[in-house]
Amino acid sequence: MTNEELKKIWLEKFKSVPESLKKMATVKSVATAFNTNVDAVLKVKGNRILELAKKLNLSLADLQNITHTKLESPEDVLKGLFRCFSRGIAEEWLTEDKLVYDWMVENLGYDRLQMGGQGGIVANALAVTGVQKVYAHTNSLPELQAKQFLELDNLLSFDEQGQAKPAHTINRELDIPLIHWMLEFDKGESVTIGGQTFTCPKSNRFIATYDPLNLHLVMDKHFIAQMAEEPVEYIVLSGFHALTERNNGVKLQDDVIPIINQWKNNGDLIHLEIASTQDLAVRKAIIKKIAPIVDSIGINEREAIDILEVTDFDNLAQKCNENTHSVNMFEALMNIKKHIKAPRVQLHMFGLYITIQDKNFKISPEANLRGMMLAATVAAGKAGTGSINNPENLLWAQGQTVSDVGLNELRDLAQHLNKPELISSGITEIEGYDIIAIPTILVEKPVTLVGMGDTISSISLVGAR
Ligand code: GLC
């Protein structure tokens, strides 16, 4: 079948999306935990990098001399930014030094503030899609943080007294705002330093994070008490990626295990968004301790490769690094599934989402397919309009055809697996597992990419009905 024929078939299938969106309103309650913060977004041009380097007296050799990926001084902020800019890559470096934070406030500024952290981003996304009640965990909720929550009555968090209220109305005055700088740069921008010109090869971002609470996985006792008391249908979990071994990040995970087990006993379905975890000991611990006890896991290509690297699949990791296409990534996902043994794992990559789940899992393959198509549409709406804060943008991409990139990836995968039906049905079975895969809608010039994976994972799960 040609791509044009396949596009028609998928366009037909995607017609279920508005109905799937309506069904989100039948979901009674969802919670998100743990990381919510404020993102300070700043577009950085090439000459701004030069300016800042001059101010700090940094030569090209200084900028390239990276001995650690932690922000111990303002110079490190510039080093990380320059590295990501010149390579077109995304990284997040952390600081625990208030002086570095103060330097960023004074010298960087920002263009706008927006909701940050997987927990906060997913809470806003699920509330706007109509879930009846969304509880967001916040370990800090001063006015600045509260303002990043959508003004919706179904989106709740807790005040100092433990009262659940619409999150945007709360102001825990003694809390400090947790701000992450999202330093974005565009492809084609260039900077000349030390006689050499560096041109950014791919639009991306460097995140410089000051966040003393999320780095220590501080939990809000009122949220924990509420979850113990009242079951919710889903809990979307994340925030472990910000931990470090030096900060006790392995032990802190041990403390969460009984809490997760209690949620499971309540009947909550738990999804873990792995996120980009730099600290190897912490990453290993997440894979060994947290991932195996949850019901569902969400990853992108990079995070999948990161997992392979800490689970003795070095050769496969290298293969995926060299060729990040669907056949290699499927092999990666299958190995991750078998290693971790969580009932459901989902990968979202450029143009394609793939879910592998146990045969008897409580969500059917057909429902998964519907959830994934809803997620693909909403994600394209977010990319195309810049935000899904306004419910009108949710279906912005409805009626657009799926991408050639996605169809080609899916075709290669179907051929490789010898399952020709996969390319037009999106569903098959391999080694006793259900496989669900969809080509996605791609937006030519995305206005934003921050929080895309979080949105895809949570909507495809909660929208799988
Ligand atoms: C990381 C960052 C956070 C950002 C999020 C987007 O958690 O710390 O600032 O909003 O990624 O997915």
Side-chain angles (χ1 to χ4, degrees):
M1 251 187 275
T2 64
N3 278 9
E4 292 318 306
E5 286 163 328
L6 287 166
K7 280 183 189 171
K8 284 201 188 111
I9 293 177
W10 281 98
L11 196 58
E12 250 338 277
K13 285 184 177 302
F14 269 74
K15 284 194 176 148
S16 67
V17 165
E19 193 53 37
S20 299
L21 180 59
K22 274 194 201 135
K23 284 195 199 150
M24 292 292 276
T26 63
V27 181
K28 293 206 169 56
S29 54
V30 176
T32 67
F34 289 97
N35 58 331
T36 297
N37 63 266
V38 178
D39 280 348
V41 186
L42 175 71
K43 182 73 84 173
V44 186
K45 301 261 175 213
N47 56 11
R48 186 76 196 278
I49 297 182
L50 182 65
E51 236 173 70
L52 288 164
K54 275 192 185 149
K55 207 167 177 177
L56 291 169
N57 268 326
L58 290 172
S59 67
L60 177 58
D62 294 335
L63 282 172
Q64 289 174 327
N65 178 22
I66 295 176
T67 56
H68 50 259
T69 54
K70 200 170 178 225
L71 306 171
E72 288 170 2
S73 64
E75 285 75 12
D76 292 332
V77 178
L78 253 279
K79 289 183 185 188
L81 174 59
F82 179 67
R83 171 184 156 94
C84 289
F85 175 93
S86 54
R87 299 181 187 194
I89 57 172
E91 287 188 5
E92 178 171 6
W93 293 11
L94 315 172
T95 185
E96 291 182 74
D97 189 342
K98 177 82 172 27
L99 293 176
V100 175
Y101 168 78
D102 291 339
W103 182 86
M104 295 197 289
V105 173
E106 261 172 49
N107 295 277
L108 296 180
Y110 54 81
D111 301 329
R112 64 176 191 280
L113 296 176
Q114 64 186 34
M115 177 60 89
Q118 279 74 9
I121 292 169
V122 169
N124 272 351
L126 291 176
V128 81
T129 51
V131 169
Q132 288 171 28
K133 197 155 60 169
V134 178
Y135 289 108
H137 173 270
T138 49
N139 45 27
S140 155
L141 192 47
E143 196 181 6
L144 194 68
Q145 180 69 65
K147 276 193 191 152
Q148 313 313 322
F149 280 102
L150 298 178
E151 292 181 19
L152 296 170
D153 291 341
N154 58 339
L155 177 49
L156 309 174
S157 195
F158 299 87
D159 69 10
E160 295 92 333
Q161 276 79 43
Q163 192 75 33
K165 288 183 183 158
H168 75 99
T169 64
I170 299 174
N171 178 8
R172 303 195 319 223
E173 280 176 21
L174 298 179
D175 289 358
I176 51 158
L178 308 170
I179 302 188
H180 300 193
W181 265 266
M182 317 291 292
L183 304 175
E184 300 183 331
F185 35 80
D186 288 334
K187 178 179 170 177
E189 274 293 314
S190 62
V191 57
T192 304
I193 298 187
Q196 279 189 51
T197 300
F198 298 84
T199 303
C200 173
K202 183 171 184 272
S203 300
N204 227 321
R205 63 180 189 268
F206 172 65
I207 309 183
T209 290
Y210 174 71
D211 192 334
L213 300 185
N214 284 310
L215 298 193
H216 294 96
L217 204 67
V218 173
M219 291 181 224
D220 174 30
K221 61 177 191 286
H222 302 302
F223 175 93
I224 301 293
Q226 171 69 38
M227 290 305 116
E229 215 168 89
E230 187 194 311
V232 290
E233 286 179 49
Y234 306 86
I235 298 193
V236 180
L237 204 57
S238 59
F240 301 106
H241 64 289
L243 304 178
T244 58
E245 190 179 20
R246 237 181 65 190
N247 274 338
N248 214 14
V250 175
K251 167 75 175 60
L252 286 168
Q253 293 183 48
D254 287 336
D255 301 342
V256 182
I257 293 173
I259 298 177
I260 297 178
N261 281 328
Q262 183 189 33
W263 294 344
K264 280 176 73 180
N265 288 339
N266 280 357
D268 309 349
L269 196 152
I270 320 259
H271 172 87
L272 173 68
E273 199 56 22
I274 299 262
S276 169
T277 313
Q278 295 305 319
D279 187 292
L280 286 183
V282 168
R283 194 193 301 160
K284 269 188 194 154
I286 297 174
I287 299 309
K288 194 162 161 221
K289 300 183 200 182
I290 308 286
I293 62 172
V294 302
D295 300 289
S296 168
I297 288 174
I299 41 178
N300 64 22
E301 314 83 309
R302 187 62 252 161
E303 293 149 17
I305 297 171
D306 286 350
I307 297 176
L308 296 176
E309 281 169 1
V310 294
T311 48
D312 292 332
F313 291 110
D314 294 317
N315 291 340
L316 183 54
Q318 201 186 337
K319 211 164 98 178
C320 291
N321 256 330
E322 280 160 15
N323 224 326
T324 318
H325 58 43
S326 58
V327 172
N328 285 346
M329 291 316 299
F330 180 82
E331 193 184 339
L333 190 63
M334 186 57 107
N335 278 296
I336 290 170
K337 166 81 183 82
K338 288 178 183 167
H339 180 89
I340 296 180
K341 299 192 180 69
R344 175 183 185 272
V345 292
Q346 187 179 82
L347 170 81
H348 41 91
M349 56 182 275
F350 192 60
L352 186 71
Y353 308 158
I354 309 173
T355 304
I356 303 182
Q357 64 172 26
D358 293 343
K359 265 258 150 263
N360 56 358
F361 191 61
K362 51 188 118 177
I363 300 173
S364 71
E366 292 73 19
N368 262 297
L369 189 78
R370 288 191 288 274
M372 288 157 76
M373 292 190 292
L374 173 61
T377 306
V378 171
K382 185 174 161 99
T385 64
S387 136
I388 48 167
N389 287 356
N390 178 347
E392 276 169 25
N393 293 350
L394 292 168
L395 294 181
W396 175 87
Q398 177 67 18
Q400 294 190 25
T401 54
V402 297
S403 60
D404 287 299
V405 175
L407 284 171
N408 296 340
E409 291 283 2
L410 186 56
R411 180 181 289 105
D412 290 348
L413 181 63
Q415 265 166 12
H416 172 79
L417 297 173
N418 204 8
K419 297 281 184 184
E421 72 276 12
L422 185 63
I423 177 118
S424 51
S425 73
I427 297 178
T428 190
E429 199 188 307
I430 301 276
E431 297 180 44
Y433 296 112
D434 283 324
I435 313 294
I436 308 101
I438 68 157
T440 71
I441 301 165
L442 286 180
V443 173
E444 186 70 34
K445 285 203 173 115
V447 181
T448 178
L449 288 174
V450 180
M452 204 54 92
D454 320 334
T455 306
I456 294 166
S457 288
S458 57
I459 293 188
S460 48
L461 177 68
V462 180
R465 27 199 68 237

